[in-house]
Amino acid sequence: MNFTIVGSGSYLPERVVLSNEIDQQFGLEPGETKRRTGIAKRHFYDEGTSKLAAKSVRAALKDAQMNYQELDIMICASGTFEQPIPCTASLIAEHFLAENHQIPCFDVNATCLSFISACEIAQAFIETGKYKTILVVSAEAGDDALDPTEFESSALIGNASAAFIFSTAEQPKAQYDVEVLSAKFMTYPEYAHSAEIKAGGSADFIPEHEQDRYFHMDGFELIKAMRRKLPEFLGELLSEGSTEVSEIDFVVPHQASGPGMKIAARMAKFSHTQMVDIIGETGNTIAASIPFTFEHLLKREDQFQDKLVLLLGTGAGMSIGGQLLKVNRR
């Protein structure tokens, strides 16, 4: 399946929380948080997911030299919503009311893998001809769901947004031609409660216990799950794409944690030069992580001819998702 990348944009909020602040919060020795997580700082945004998303949408439109009126559809691919109803995508579109351009807008939530899921939907739309120019935006804003007493989430999670505009091969403004060599998404529900926010839905809308309104993750259990499931998953993904690990130019992983990415790299035999690692400057930005890192890679590399790029990550549920892409800059 072939499509194009017309443009992309990203944004990191201005409010920064340094890892030494987390050290102080939890009574740790200076440098301990960075040592454990590989993260020096993370960014936070207090004005809502949709406004944060709109910043990267505008950046993507500028990069693509396009107007909002040229979009056919918007997909918000985020793990957190601004409010339960309406969908966050419609709230993002509200920031573009002055453009007087009505398009369908909806959300995709596969937590940290939301962007990969939305890409599959966008690619299917392009392949069938349903829509030609598709905006996919991921944004994660606000730290209200982080438990101030839990080190793991406080040390890892940050905010960011990233947006991509995808289109058909015939799009004259496209910057990159992309071929999907393989794509795979799998959920392992035996680990469904290893990362969760219990409250806020139909099971427990108003929680009896305050802790249930906060994000909780069992990092040790998730790493065990990755050890058990990733090798077979990755083997099938690469086999479908007729590709060996050594042939991959760049691995764009979900920036889950520094130790987690190192473990995954060792298991998969990814080299240091293959891995795109920016977690030290961003933290784990949930669904924005993969598109933000991918956008960083595209802007970093001047020469991008016949490059094999692997988008790969895990998400709550627990799920593993990946896409193997051949990317050519026009």
Side-chain angles (χ1 to χ4, degrees):
M1 190 266 158
N2 298 298
F3 68 98
T4 59
I5 298 172
V6 191
S8 61
S10 60
Y11 179 77
L12 278 176
E14 294 179 2
R15 183 164 74 90
V16 176
V17 175
L18 301 174
S19 285
N20 60 17
E21 296 177 59
I22 305 298
D23 292 333
Q24 295 173 7
Q25 179 181 339
F26 288 91
L28 302 174
E29 292 294 321
E32 181 66 13
T33 297
K34 185 177 179 181
R35 186 189 69 79
R36 290 193 200 178
T37 66
I39 298 170
K41 62 182 179 180
R42 61 207 58 74
H43 299 248
F44 288 100
Y45 195 78
D46 300 319
E47 299 181 58
T49 307
S50 66
K51 189 173 181 179
L52 176 58
K55 290 181 177 293
S56 61
V57 170
R58 291 191 174 95
L61 288 169
K62 181 178 180 180
D63 184 57
Q65 298 183 336
M66 295 183 71
N67 298 316
Y68 185 79
Q69 291 90 339
E70 295 178 76
L71 300 176
D72 294 328
I73 187 172
M74 178 196 300
I75 304 173
C76 174
S78 297
T80 57
F81 49 76
E82 183 160 318
Q83 58 189 68
I85 296 175
C87 69
T88 303
S90 67
L91 299 177
I92 299 170
E94 186 181 21
H95 291 283
F96 296 90
L97 278 175
E99 306 295 335
N100 194 28
H101 179 58
Q102 295 180 342
I103 54 174
C105 303
F106 66 89
D107 290 357
V108 170
N109 183 354
T111 60
C112 300
L113 293 173
S114 298
F115 179 76
I116 286 182
S117 298
C119 283
E120 289 207 53
I121 294 170
Q123 290 155 10
F125 281 153
I126 290 170
E127 190 169 29
T128 61
K130 176 72 174 178
Y131 301 106
K132 291 185 177 181
T133 304
I134 301 175
L135 171 70
V136 176
V137 56
S138 296
E140 308 289 0
D143 56 354
D144 291 341
L146 299 183
D147 186 343
T149 67
E150 183 176 281
F151 170 78
E152 197 163 25
S153 58
S154 297
L156 290 175
I157 303 299
N159 299 165
S161 67
F164 276 78
I165 299 171
F166 301 124
S167 191
T168 62
E170 293 76 27
Q171 171 58 255
K173 295 182 179 180
Q175 298 184 41
Y176 298 90
D177 292 298
V178 185
E179 180 184 0
V180 181
L181 301 181
S182 61
K184 185 175 176 64
F185 189 103
M186 188 60 64
T187 299
Y188 309 95
E190 62 267 36
Y191 303 104
H193 297 285
S194 297
E196 64 181 347
I197 298 175
K198 290 184 177 180
S202 61
D204 190 14
F205 187 71
I206 301 177
E208 179 180 353
H209 304 289
E210 184 180 3
Q211 296 297 108
D212 290 345
R213 63 182 286 266
Y214 294 125
F215 174 70
H216 170 75
M217 64 181 291
D218 185 337
F220 182 69
E221 183 70 10
L222 289 171
I223 287 177
K224 284 199 305 181
M226 182 179 65
R227 287 182 182 274
R228 292 169 181 163
K229 304 298 183 181
L230 182 61
E232 180 180 4
F233 176 93
L234 185 59
E236 292 176 355
L237 178 66
L238 296 183
S239 177
E240 181 184 332
S242 301
T243 300
E244 300 292 333
V245 168
S246 60
E247 296 177 288
I248 298 171
D249 293 293
F250 300 107
V251 180
V252 176
H254 167 46
Q255 312 284 304
S257 72
M261 288 196 295
K262 288 179 181 178
I263 291 171
R266 285 198 299 267
M267 290 173 59
K269 298 182 179 178
F270 296 138
S271 69
H272 175 72
T273 56
Q274 287 175 303
M275 293 285 285
V276 185
D277 182 355
I278 60 171
I279 193 170
E281 297 299 306
T282 65
N284 179 338
T285 58
I286 317 174
S289 172
I290 291 176
F292 189 97
T293 307
F294 190 24
E295 211 263 343
H296 169 84
L297 172 66
L298 294 179
K299 295 295 193 290
R300 185 190 77 184
E301 298 292 324
D302 292 329
Q303 302 298 320
F304 224 97
Q305 300 301 316
D306 286 326
K307 298 295 185 182
L308 293 185
V309 179
L310 176 63
L311 309 182
L312 183 67
T314 59
M318 181 207 68
S319 298
I320 305 176
Q323 287 206 341
L324 181 61
L325 311 174
K326 179 181 284 188
V327 184
N328 273 289
R329 186 176 181 89
R330 286 190 176 179

